[in-house]
Amino acid sequence: TVSFVQPPNFSILQAHHQGIPGIFSTDFPTVPPVKFDYTGNVSQSLWQPVPGTKVYKLKYGANVQVVLQGTSIVTGENHPIHLHGYGFYIIGEGFGNFNPQTDTAKFNLVDPPRRNTTSLPVNGWPVIRFVADNPGVWLMHCHLDIHITWGLAMSFLVENGVSELESLEEPPVDLPIKMDPLDEENTSFATDMGNYCYKVMPFGLKNAGATY
């Protein structure tokens, strides 16, 4: 299990665009690395996540499906999960552990609601879909702010497409290369909340302060 850590000095987007090494890795797992009864009596040996700044890389135009799986680690809880940069379709939801053999029959592929936030119910799951047609680094996180600080977040890194309209614009010429958190006069930098915004401020995902 991995708890998302926000880089202290560079945004992920800035590090990606400028080729700054050591800020993040692209080994965010496609599926939970450890499978267990997510909504059952979870062993305390699985309660402690590993901190890391991992992103999931997507090719431009990829069709993405994410299963957000709640867990009973510590205690079950409802989480409003928000994705920056995209609207997505909520094609299904339910309680218990998601079962790909049976629960896919419940998917609404006719008129699913389109949102940028979905509810991850207590010990349940929603499934969302979107097309990765907005290049950049986009944070997915719980909208309960304290849970972001606990690591309930992850980021998608969407690569550029072919044309200029499918690619990131170049950053402003006066964009600071490095941000010192203690320098009050230099607090503008590219964040992963919005591409090149001047603002200071990650699927099989689960809760309890960690992303999987």
Side-chain angles (χ1 to χ4, degrees), residues 154-186:
M154 60 84 64
S155 286
F156 291 106
L157 194 166
V158 181
E159 297 177 325
N160 286 338
V162 176
S163 70
E164 181 180 356
L165 294 178
E166 297 175 347
S167 303
L168 279 173
E169 295 182 5
E170 288 297 316
V173 294
D174 59 346
L175 182 72
I177 295 177
K178 184 175 181 180
M179 192 279 293
D180 182 349
L182 302 179
D183 183 357
E184 296 181 355
E185 296 182 355
N186 184 23

Side-chain angles (χ1 to χ4, degrees), residues 91-172:
I91 63 170
E93 57 187 358
F95 292 96
N97 298 328
F98 176 76
N99 186 328
Q101 279 70 49
T102 59
D103 288 330
T104 53
K106 307 172 186 176
F107 285 178
N108 175 8
L109 304 179
V110 178
D111 56 354
R114 188 172 187 267
R115 302 284 187 270
N116 59 27
T117 305
T118 186
S119 175
L120 173 56
V122 176
N123 290 341
W125 52 267
V127 179
I128 66 172
R129 287 182 180 178
F130 64 94
V131 177
D133 57 1
N134 189 10
V137 176
W138 301 106
L139 189 70
M140 175 181 277
H141 64 93
C142 178
H143 235 302
L144 302 176
D145 288 349
I146 187 64
H147 290 180
I148 302 177
T149 67
W150 291 348
L152 185 45
M154 60 84 64
S155 286
F156 291 106
L157 194 166
V158 181
E159 297 177 325
N160 286 338
V162 176
S163 70
E164 181 180 356
L165 294 178
E166 297 175 347
S167 303
L168 279 173
E169 295 182 5
E170 288 297 316

Side-chain angles (χ1 to χ4, degrees), residues 1-2 27-38 46 56 66-71 73 97-98 100 203-207 210-212:
T1 61
V2 181
D27 56 343
F28 188 91
T30 303
V31 297
V34 178
K35 294 184 179 181
F36 55 94
D37 182 3
Y38 307 117
L46 298 172
Y56 192 87
V66 181
V67 178
L68 297 150
Q69 176 66 62
T71 78
I73 294 176
N97 298 328
F98 176 76
F203 162 148
L205 297 185
K206 303 191 300 247
N207 63 10
T211 56
Y212 300 73

Side-chain angles (χ1 to χ4, degrees), residues 5-83:
V5 178
Q6 183 78 5
N9 295 326
F10 297 93
S11 76
I12 298 173
L13 176 64
Q14 188 172 352
H16 165 64
H17 195 74
Q18 298 180 349
I20 303 171
I23 305 301
F24 66 92
S25 65
T26 57
D27 56 343
F28 188 91
T30 303
V31 297
V34 178
K35 294 184 179 181
F36 55 94
D37 182 3
Y38 307 117
T39 57
N41 186 15
V42 180
S43 169
Q44 290 193 19
S45 65
L46 298 172
W47 284 20
Q48 185 60 48
V50 176
T53 307
K54 300 175 183 286
V55 305
Y56 192 87
K57 185 178 288 188
L58 294 168
K59 290 188 178 298
Y60 183 91
N63 294 307
V64 184
Q65 175 174 297
V66 181
V67 178
L68 297 150
Q69 176 66 62
T71 78
S72 57
I73 294 176
V74 183
T75 184
E77 189 170 353
N78 182 292
H79 298 275
I81 302 296
H82 175 69
L83 175 60

